[in-house]
Amino acid sequence: MKRIIVVIFLTLIGTNTSAQGDRQLLDFEFEGVTLNEVLNIPHQVKPKGVVLIVHGSGQTNAVAQNWYADVRATILKAGYGTYMWDKMGCGESGGDFNYNQSAQNSALEAIAAITSLKEMEVPGSGTIGLWGISRAGWINPIIIDQYKDIAFWISVSGVDDKENFAYLFEENLKINGIPQDSIAILSDELKKGYRLTHAGESFEAYMNATKNLRNNKFLSRFNNERVVTKDGYYEYQKTFIKEPFDTETNLQVYIKDFESILSNINCPVLALFGEKDKHVDWRKTRALYEKTLGNTTDLTVKSFPDCNHNIYKCKTGGFYEFQDNDFPRERCDGYLKAIASWLNELE
């Protein structure tokens, strides 16, 4: 059952209606679960299309907390509607949140959202674009590959095909002042742990190979002080062992044949990166995009100095920089303008 509640954005959010447009709460169903969604459309203007806002990893309460308000307002001013939803088990969406939901399943979820928009003949739904950050860099290419009718893709802090925590771990150790030789030892143990787990090795073998790693303060904080237990190790191994794995890098492969999927994309793509991104290796992703997308589509790439993974101004780009220093979240100069200009040039 789809729920439709139409209100003016000013009523609930208290912002300028002309900037944020009209707001409709549109629920849709995926795998028997009702997901909580919000559609914003330009005020008193026929939308040029609708842009799906595809989240990165982690839980969301995006609808109630008005996530990406500035990005969505920018897209609205360019004449497009925006459509955003909370993941399962988050906000007012039903079901249970699954941190390990596959990118393939997330893509099917987004395609279900597109189908719902079209079935309801939502204004602008004849032209669908994608905006996505981080993990969405896996999801959105799959959507484009499977749906075949996506008009454009805006990729923010995109990813390559492999597990990126090894990069995040090493870069944040550098920020924390850990000596390079110690970083090398810890990084080696991290990847050995991945390899042993994927190879079906015992809990004892894993523990012996990660003695220094398990005492690392950053990793302990990242894992919320959780200790790896024998039962937990074997439970996780059941799933991990089935995933594609690159034996050369000892990293999980998230999307098989990712280069081929990217190479088959033929819609315009805008790729935006923060040059102090310490979450994902943005230089590696940029090179991948230029190698694949650059040969098949209209690719525009922009990077922003002194900007982090979320395209906010920063000093180090460290994972806990904003949390530990209570820094203001100020967008990087030119980020929103780049989105607006690119969308306007699509006409």
Side-chain angles (χ1 to χ4, degrees), residues 169 173 178 182-190 212-213 216:
F169 185 55
L173 292 181
I178 305 300
S182 297
I183 292 176
I185 292 171
L186 292 167
S187 181
D188 182 60
E189 288 193 5
L190 178 73
N212 295 293
L213 182 69
N216 179 257

Side-chain angles (χ1 to χ4, degrees), residues 23-52:
R23 182 179 192 260
Q24 303 178 14
L25 298 180
L26 296 177
D27 288 352
F28 82 104
E29 289 189 1
F30 176 64
E31 297 184 342
V33 174
T34 301
L35 299 180
N36 183 42
E37 315 226 359
V38 61
L39 169 73
N40 293 95
I41 56 176
H43 186 52
Q44 297 180 341
V45 176
K46 182 180 179 180
K48 301 173 186 176
V50 177
V51 179
L52 267 66

Side-chain angles (χ1 to χ4, degrees), residues 51-57 68 71 75 130-138 140-141 153-160 269-274 277 279-280 282 285 289 300 302-304 307-312 331-332 335-336 338-339:
V51 179
L52 267 66
I53 305 297
V54 183
H55 302 302
S57 61
Y68 312 119
V71 171
I75 294 171
L130 305 173
W131 179 98
I133 188 167
S134 194
R135 179 177 181 268
W138 292 316
N140 286 344
W153 169 30
I154 301 174
S155 174
V156 181
S157 302
V159 290
D160 67 356
V269 178
L270 173 64
L272 305 173
F273 301 99
D277 189 339
H279 289 54
V280 303
W282 70 273
T285 304
Y289 283 4
T300 301
K302 293 183 180 294
S303 63
F304 302 92
C307 291
N308 65 11
H309 183 67
N310 293 306
I311 320 296
Y312 289 117
R331 286 296 187 190
C332 300
Y335 168 58
L336 297 176
I339 294 174

Side-chain angles (χ1 to χ4, degrees), residues 170-205:
E170 291 179 16
E171 291 299 308
N172 279 273
L173 292 181
K174 292 176 187 176
I175 291 171
N176 291 337
I178 305 300
Q180 188 58 48
D181 56 347
S182 297
I183 292 176
I185 292 171
L186 292 167
S187 181
D188 182 60
E189 288 193 5
L190 178 73
K191 293 176 181 178
K192 278 184 178 178
Y194 288 155
R195 178 175 56 79
L196 292 170
T197 305
H198 192 269
E201 296 292 342
S202 68
F203 176 67
E204 290 73 18

Side-chain angles (χ1 to χ4, degrees), residues 27-247:
D27 288 352
F28 82 104
E29 289 189 1
F30 176 64
E31 297 184 342
V33 174
T34 301
L35 299 180
N36 183 42
E37 315 226 359
V38 61
L39 169 73
N40 293 95
I41 56 176
H43 186 52
Q44 297 180 341
V45 176
K46 182 180 179 180
K48 301 173 186 176
V50 177
V51 179
L52 267 66
I53 305 297
V54 183
H55 302 302
S57 61
Q59 299 189 41
T60 66
N61 191 9
V63 176
Q65 295 178 354
N66 196 26
W67 283 22
Y68 312 119
D70 54 351
V71 171
R72 290 156 59 213
T74 297
I75 294 171
L76 283 166
K77 288 178 183 177
Y80 293 85
T82 64
Y83 195 45
M84 179 177 70
W85 63 94
D86 288 321
K87 298 177 184 179
M88 288 188 184
C90 300
E92 294 193 19
S93 289
D96 298 316
F97 174 70
N98 177 14
Y99 186 85
N100 294 314
Q101 181 183 17
S102 70
Q104 290 83 357
N105 189 257
S106 293
L108 292 176
E109 182 177 296
I111 291 172
I114 296 170
T115 301
S116 178
L117 287 174
K118 290 183 176 293
E119 287 177 349
M120 299 176 68
E121 298 182 348
V122 169
S125 60
T127 299
I128 298 293
L130 305 173
W131 179 98
I133 188 167
S134 194
R135 179 177 181 268
W138 292 316
I139 300 167
N140 286 344
I142 298 173
I143 297 172
I144 296 168
D145 183 63
Q146 295 187 8
Y147 190 71
K148 306 297 184 185
D149 193 25
I150 299 299
F152 57 85
W153 169 30
I154 301 174
S155 174
V156 181
S157 302
V159 290
D160 67 356
D161 64 327
K162 296 181 181 66
E163 166 62 49
N164 56 57
F165 182 74
Y167 172 85
L168 183 156
F169 185 55
E170 291 179 16
E171 291 299 308
N172 279 273
L173 292 181
K174 292 176 187 176
I175 291 171
N176 291 337
I178 305 300
Q180 188 58 48
D181 56 347
S182 297
I183 292 176
I185 292 171
L186 292 167
S187 181
D188 182 60
E189 288 193 5
L190 178 73
K191 293 176 181 178
K192 278 184 178 178
Y194 288 155
R195 178 175 56 79
L196 292 170
T197 305
H198 192 269
E201 296 292 342
S202 68
F203 176 67
E204 290 73 18
Y206 171 83
M207 295 295 281
N208 287 332
T210 58
K211 291 179 180 178
N212 295 293
L213 182 69
R214 288 181 285 105
N215 290 323
N216 179 257
K217 291 182 179 179
F218 176 82
L219 184 63
S220 178
R221 182 180 183 183
F222 188 89
N223 289 331
N224 294 319
E225 309 294 339
R226 290 191 298 269
V227 176
V228 178
T229 65
K230 189 172 184 177
D231 288 344
Y233 172 80
Y234 286 121
E235 187 63 30
Y236 172 73
Q237 188 179 61
K238 291 177 185 177
T239 302
F240 186 60
I241 203 170
K242 299 176 184 177
E243 301 294 335
F245 192 78
D246 182 67
T247 55

